[in-house]
Amino acid sequence: MSGECINNEDLHWFAVRYRLGELSEQERARFEWELGENQAAREALAKAVALEAAVTICFQKTSLPVRNAVSFRWAGFATAVAVAVCFAMLIPFFKFDPQKSRQVGEREATPRLHALAFAWTEAGAEMADASFNADGLSWGIDLHWEVDGADSSADVFSADAANETLSGAAFVEEERAGDYAALEEAAGDAGWMLVALSGMQTLANSETSGSETPGDESP
Amino acid sequence: MSAPAHLVFCRQAVDREGDSKQINFARLRMARSTANSLDSDTSARLYVEHADELRRFLIGVLRDAPLAQDCVQAAFAKLLTHGGGVRAESRKAWLFRVAYHEALAVRRRQAVGKRVLEQVGKDGESLASGIQNDAAETLVSRETIDGVRRALAELPQNQRDVVRMRMYENKTFRLIAAELDIPIGTALARMRTALKKLRQRLESE
């Protein structure tokens, strides 16, 4: 191969281009001959590899493609808007309007539903964890507030069915004892609903027995 | 004097940063000891001093980090068995030359293997793919990376763009020239000037 050595300055440029695969066939053969004969050429190639590695790391760790950055901002903005809209949609269902609830109850034809609405409004405003099954056959304690629960109505309400649906031995025990305070304490967050149901049961009993005194629960 | 059929070296040595480095020469098969054998202490010292640079050089030749490491081991194995007759000031150059010839032999074997695969109809693409991103950090020290980062920040924007497009985005100079709407010679000149500044900055640190 050629006996004319590449000068030291060109060696580094040759080394980088050799590393990047940018040399012509003739240049490549010439440089590989240098690699066999010249320690400076070998060390230049080692430096070229180190420089390429360092440059790669620097650009890798410090830069983001502009396109990705823009997408990220729009994605974040869209997510924030979606969360805000969902929250705004949920706000009305956390607002408890006793007056409105009473009106809903009064519109229904059945006396039982009227009594339920009355008990509901009297019991309190927490509606986070209860739902009303539209067919009126059962109550369910649910952790998720269901949109249809507030306005759903039922033609028939069965206290017995409610007792079977509501879980927890404490409820059954405390309802038999007929103690409002104990009911609330035993059921925790759902206590207001249990109190309402118990009150409704009392009203139902009073209708059949002729008693007008709420609170005379029989065990 | 006969030597054991297998010889295992495992030495603790201190590299220039002061961290201990386990040097494992693996198993070396020695048919017999020769007058040209190099003592293990000297071999270990040479390994600490030159193994990293030798590996970078071999990656430049082979474009494959595992193959490069194999060649490093082969070179030091030969140093052990034949390096005793080499003058101390020439051992580095001797080591690099031996490693280079070892790499050329590997490349020839790869070429033969590729032809065989092509003949049997299998995919003959080379396994080598240059420096993988996760392997790049093993080739340079943290100080070198920091120095290059500072040097890159000092480059003019047009030079930094060419360096980035060629070395990081792996675009050809022809494509870079087309995208930047400059002659290809200008792109090469900017790259060469930038690399010279980067190298000089690194050597001065």
Side-chain angles (χ1 to χ4, degrees):
Chain A
M1 191 49 58
S2 169
E4 185 178 340
C5 296
I6 304 173
N7 66 57
N8 205 39
E9 187 56 40
D10 289 340
L11 266 180
H12 294 283
W13 182 229
F14 263 81
V16 169
R17 291 170 61 207
Y18 178 80
R19 171 67 189 146
L20 297 175
E22 292 276 353
L23 292 178
S24 65
E25 200 60 40
Q26 186 179 5
E27 288 175 324
R28 187 165 178 265
R30 182 183 178 194
F31 187 69
E32 287 188 346
W33 181 85
E34 290 281 348
L35 289 177
E37 301 296 325
N38 188 347
Q39 177 63 15
R42 295 189 281 260
E43 292 183 7
L45 183 56
K47 286 181 183 175
V49 170
L51 188 61
E52 184 196 8
V55 168
T56 299
I57 292 169
C58 289
F59 282 121
Q60 186 181 15
K61 292 192 173 182
T62 59
S63 64
L64 273 174
V66 175
R67 191 187 312 141
N68 287 348
V70 171
S71 298
F72 177 78
R73 286 202 295 271
W74 275 111
F77 178 74
T79 303
V81 168
V83 169
V85 168
C86 290
F87 186 72
M89 288 172 63
L90 289 174
I91 285 177
F93 302 103
F94 287 94
K95 285 174 59 177
F96 181 69
D97 185 353
Q99 185 71 19
K100 188 174 179 183
S101 297
R102 187 171 294 114
Q103 290 170 356
V104 168
E106 289 170 350
R107 277 203 302 272
E108 299 302 327
T110 60
R112 281 182 176 273
L113 200 59
H114 179 83
L116 171 64
F118 172 77
W120 193 335
T121 57
E122 292 299 315
E126 289 297 328
M127 303 170 72
D129 54 357
S131 64
F132 180 57
N133 190 304
D135 63 8
L137 295 180
S138 65
W139 280 93
I141 300 295
D142 195 335
L143 289 177
H144 301 286
W145 174 251
E146 295 183 3
V147 173
D148 294 332
D151 295 325
S152 294
S153 61
D155 294 329
V156 177
F157 172 79
S158 165
D160 291 334
N163 288 344
E164 292 169 6
T165 302
L166 285 167
S167 61
F171 165 75
V172 176
E173 291 292 329
E174 295 302 336
E175 200 224 5
R176 273 199 229 106
D179 186 336
Y180 278 83
L183 266 174
E184 207 160 358
E185 184 181 356
D189 289 342
W192 69 270
M193 179 57 67
L194 299 174
V195 169
L197 287 169
S198 179
M200 195 206 149
Q201 180 68 46
T202 303
L203 287 172
N205 293 341
S206 66
E207 286 175 2
T208 55
S209 65
S211 167
E212 292 185 356
T213 308
D216 289 340
E217 303 92 348
S218 56
Chain B
M1 184 170 71
S2 62
H6 294 82
L7 191 64
V8 176
F9 290 97
C10 184
R11 300 295 300 265
Q12 290 286 340
V14 178
D15 63 9
R16 55 187 173 208
E17 283 86 29
D19 299 328
S20 63
K21 183 189 290 184
Q22 187 82 19
I23 301 174
N24 186 356
F25 283 92
R27 293 181 180 273
L28 303 175
R29 181 174 290 129
M30 291 177 62
R32 63 178 184 194
S33 69
T34 66
N36 289 332
S37 297
L38 192 65
D39 62 284
S40 56
D41 287 340
T42 305
S43 297
R45 182 177 53 80
L46 288 169
Y47 189 94
V48 172
E49 288 177 7
H50 303 304
D52 287 344
E53 188 181 5
L54 186 60
R55 187 162 65 98
R56 287 193 291 268
F57 163 66
L58 289 170
I59 285 175
V61 175
L62 292 170
R63 302 175 188 279
D64 186 305
L67 281 178
Q69 185 60 35
D70 289 344
C71 289
V72 168
Q73 298 294 332
F76 276 94
K78 287 191 176 173
L79 181 70
L80 274 169
T81 55
H82 298 94
V86 181
R87 287 178 299 167
E89 61 272 17
S90 303
R91 280 175 184 152
K92 179 182 177 183
W94 185 91
L95 198 59
F96 271 67
R97 190 162 56 245
V98 166
Y100 179 59
H101 288 293
E102 188 69 30
L104 291 181
V106 168
R107 272 212 322 220
R108 283 194 292 270
R109 285 197 293 271
Q110 276 189 322
V112 169
K114 183 177 177 182
R115 284 198 295 273
V116 169
L117 288 174
E118 286 171 351
Q119 284 176 2
V120 297
K122 290 184 189 268
D123 183 8
E125 281 189 15
S126 170
L127 297 174
S129 58
I131 295 177
Q132 302 299 323
N133 286 341
D134 57 349
E137 296 195 17
T138 64
L139 293 174
V140 288
S141 64
R142 175 58 53 189
E143 291 79 12
T144 301
I145 296 170
D146 291 341
V148 168
R149 184 175 290 118
R150 285 191 291 270
L152 281 171
E154 294 172 1
L155 288 177
Q157 183 65 42
N158 56 2
Q159 291 177 13
R160 189 162 58 245
D161 287 344
V162 174
V163 171
R164 176 195 168 91
M165 293 168 81
R166 186 61 193 89
M167 284 193 156
Y168 180 61
E169 298 178 13
N170 207 26
K171 297 177 180 175
T172 63
F173 282 113
R174 192 172 301 277
L175 183 59
I176 292 170
E179 286 190 12
L180 298 179
D181 195 23
I182 56 176
I184 188 170
T186 303
L188 286 166
R190 288 181 185 175
M191 180 74 169
R192 183 171 183 172
T193 306
L195 290 177
K196 183 178 178 181
K197 290 179 184 176
L198 291 175
R199 194 182 70 252
Q200 287 174 343
R201 176 63 181 271
L202 287 177
E203 289 172 355
S204 65
E205 289 195 355

